[in-house]
Amino acid sequence: RDASVFERLDAYEGVRPGDPARSLFARRWMRLERPALGAWVYVYARDASGLPIVASGCWHTHVAGRARGARSA
């Protein structure tokens, strides 16, 4: 593992290793179900209460749907 890759990804994702309270995301090692393997995952590190639920599980689909709704209004 090249630590500089994680440093660049962490910076992109808003991870502040020395200040987790100000981080946007936290990097966690998790076991995936499909495929069954371990992976580093970025998890939202702030309170998500009141934020919209992305029912599809896909942010891009969610945003595209909102944009279509705004154009048809």
Side-chain angles (χ1 to χ4, degrees):
R1 284 178 250 187
D2 183 354
S4 68
V5 172
F6 284 122
E7 289 171 7
R8 287 183 292 205
L9 286 170
D10 286 352
Y12 177 80
E13 296 292 354
V15 174
R16 297 172 181 252
D19 192 1
R22 293 184 57 214
S23 292
L24 185 58
F25 288 89
R27 181 169 32 95
R28 301 281 185 256
W29 179 257
M30 295 186 168
R31 190 85 186 145
L32 304 178
E33 289 183 19
R34 276 184 268 149
L37 54 84
W40 287 105
V41 177
Y42 285 91
V43 180
Y44 191 63
R46 298 194 179 159
D47 182 13
S49 301
L51 294 178
I53 295 173
V54 180
S56 68
C58 177
W59 178 251
H60 293 289
T61 301
H62 176 75
V63 171
R66 288 190 329 188
R68 276 193 303 276
R71 284 195 299 263
S72 65

